[in-house]
Amino acid sequence: MSMDTENGTRWLSEEEQRAWRAHLDVSRLLMHQLERDLQPFGLTNNDYEILVNLSESEDHRMRMSDLATATLQSKSRLSHQITRMENAGLVRRENCESDRRGLYAVLTEHGWDTMRQVAPHHVASVREHFIDLLGEADLKSLYASLTPVAQHLRSLRGRA
Amino acid sequence: MSMDTENGTRWLSEEEQRAWRAHLDVSRLLMHQLERDLQPFGLTNNDYEILVNLSESEDHRMRMSDLATATLQSKSRLSHQITRMENAGLVRRENCESDRRGLYAVLTEHGWDTMRQVAPHHVASVREHFIDLLGEADLKSLYASLTPVAQHLRSLRGRA
DNA sequence: CTAAGAAAGTTGAAAGATTAACCACTGTAG
DNA sequence: CTACAGTGGTTAATCTTTCAACTTTCTTAG
């Protein structure tokens, strides 16, 4: 196809640049904005994501590892994160009978209440800053385009 | 349109969820992967972005403020960032004649060399993990969809 | 049954990010 | 020309993330 310069590097075309930049900018600006919208509730984006995952799980609990995988965090980071949330009374740790190395992170009453209170605001925020700015066609094609990328990237993580 | 539950919250439809999740996942996985690909060169994503901005600027220099804006960082964060890069010999600070409060961040020789060495690899990385996984139509529609979102978000930053 | 290796999770130190307070200078309203 | 609000940038304290080392338990090859 295109082989632009002396050293064989295929630089990005105008069009490619634009798409790339757009994705990059949205991705950062959006995270930033969502974080800001959660701030009044004393939660960070990370806190919220943990709460979502636990809320949607059987018995409001998840194994640390699974939670780490689901939220794309390292074990270490998750461990610290859960410690903070434990101190904030949002979750607690419980050990696992079937595997004595393992631990569950469990939503507390307060965690669940918090979730129920905050979720509507968060959804509103996601709508206002993202979803509602896109048409149905946009959403469909976004999903169709990005899914293979996500798959590719997931297949890569955890290599050397 | 849709008004799903008792309390009036417009939850996300299946389709909306999927698109949202896809964007979220790609955005995080991708950053992570790019970071990893830069690692062998001793650069972080942030370092690289600064280098790009300076490289593309008149005289390989930019005012701290402008650089902060361009890279969507806070002044404080940028200040720390530049200090680190200064210690690594990639940039240097120079004061500004016309406004004695101001400083320029200037690319050093070593910074420029680094940039020229690394850029091809970075582009390859962006292609491998993003651009080349999308068709031309995908790119076009991605750009078209995301640009208004980016504008919306940019208009919001720097409020209260 | 046991030893070696893998898996689950934690920990502490070092690096990076955020917050708020700060200093120096500029521009402008009176 | 002066006082005062705003700009440009840094700094110190604090919080979060990363990295590497470590403990405990589980699995499996022999």
Side-chain angles (χ1 to χ4, degrees):
Chain A
M1 280 299 232
S2 66
M3 177 91 115
D4 291 295
T5 51
E6 72 285 354
N7 62 15
T9 299
R10 286 175 58 223
W11 300 104
L12 300 187
S13 69
E14 269 303 309
E15 191 178 47
E16 289 166 338
Q17 284 249 29
R18 270 192 232 120
W20 171 231
R21 271 275 154 271
H23 175 80
L24 224 55
D25 288 355
V26 165
S27 129
R28 284 194 297 183
L29 288 162
L30 192 47
M31 283 311 126
H32 204 279
Q33 184 61 45
L34 293 180
E35 191 94 41
R36 220 153 67 166
D37 292 349
L38 280 175
Q39 214 151 307
F41 302 99
L43 295 179
T44 67
N45 251 320
N46 283 333
D47 295 336
Y48 185 80
E49 203 189 2
I50 305 273
L51 293 184
V52 171
N53 274 276
L54 294 179
S55 297
E56 289 173 348
S57 291
E58 192 70 29
D59 254 341
H60 284 183
R61 78 185 49 221
M62 266 200 203
R63 288 291 296 272
M64 293 296 275
S65 294
D66 298 341
L67 195 47
T69 304
T71 58
L72 303 173
Q73 302 187 46
S74 70
K75 283 153 173 267
S76 167
R77 178 170 164 185
L78 180 68
S79 186
H80 288 300
Q81 171 79 33
I82 292 293
T83 301
R84 277 175 315 232
M85 292 180 75
E86 208 168 17
N87 293 335
L90 295 165
V91 302
R92 89 185 96 92
R93 282 181 235 243
E94 245 175 59
N95 12 18
C96 174
E97 286 310 315
S98 58
D99 184 343
R100 270 185 307 193
R101 294 167 298 184
L103 290 177
Y104 287 105
V106 189
L107 212 52
T108 60
E109 266 311 306
H110 177 237
W112 177 235
D113 289 350
T114 301
M115 186 58 201
R116 291 213 316 245
Q117 189 211 335
V118 174
H121 297 277
H122 182 72
V123 174
S125 184
V126 170
R127 282 203 173 282
E128 179 182 355
H129 305 309
F130 190 71
I131 294 290
D132 286 354
L133 301 172
L134 303 170
E136 185 165 338
D138 291 322
L139 290 174
K140 275 194 170 48
S141 89
L142 209 70
Y143 174 67
S145 304
L146 293 186
T147 298
V149 179
Q151 266 166 350
H152 163 86
L153 288 166
R154 250 189 285 272
S155 81
L156 252 57
R157 88 189 285 269
R159 72 120 235 254
Chain B
M1 281 300 231
S2 67
M3 177 93 114
D4 291 296
T5 50
E6 72 286 353
N7 62 15
T9 299
R10 288 175 57 223
W11 301 104
L12 299 187
S13 70
E14 269 303 309
E15 191 178 47
E16 289 166 338
Q17 284 248 28
R18 271 192 232 118
W20 171 230
R21 271 268 152 277
H23 175 80
L24 224 55
D25 288 356
V26 166
S27 121
R28 282 194 298 182
L29 288 162
L30 192 47
M31 283 311 126
H32 204 279
Q33 185 60 44
L34 293 180
E35 192 95 41
R36 220 153 66 166
D37 292 349
L38 279 175
Q39 213 152 307
F41 302 99
L43 295 180
T44 67
N45 252 320
N46 284 331
D47 294 337
Y48 186 79
E49 203 188 3
I50 305 273
L51 293 184
V52 170
N53 273 276
L54 294 179
S55 297
E56 290 172 348
S57 291
E58 191 70 29
D59 253 341
H60 285 183
R61 78 186 47 222
M62 265 198 207
R63 287 292 296 273
M64 293 296 275
S65 294
D66 298 341
L67 194 47
T69 303
T71 59
L72 303 173
Q73 303 187 43
S74 70
K75 285 153 173 266
S76 167
R77 179 169 166 188
L78 181 67
S79 187
H80 288 301
Q81 171 79 35
I82 292 293
T83 301
R84 276 174 313 226
M85 293 180 75
E86 208 167 17
N87 293 336
L90 296 165
V91 302
R92 87 185 98 92
R93 283 182 234 245
E94 245 175 59
N95 12 18
C96 174
E97 286 311 313
S98 57
D99 183 342
R100 270 183 308 193
R101 296 166 296 184
L103 291 177
Y104 287 104
V106 189
L107 211 54
T108 60
E109 265 312 305
H110 177 237
W112 176 235
D113 289 350
T114 301
M115 186 58 201
R116 291 213 316 243
Q117 189 211 336
V118 174
H121 296 277
H122 182 73
V123 173
S125 185
V126 171
R127 281 202 173 282
E128 179 182 356
H129 306 308
F130 190 71
I131 294 290
D132 287 353
L133 301 172
L134 302 171
E136 185 165 337
D138 291 322
L139 290 174
K140 274 194 171 48
S141 89
L142 209 71
Y143 175 66
S145 304
L146 293 185
T147 299
V149 179
Q151 266 166 350
H152 164 87
L153 289 166
R154 249 189 285 271
S155 82
L156 253 56
R157 90 188 284 269
R159 72 120 236 252

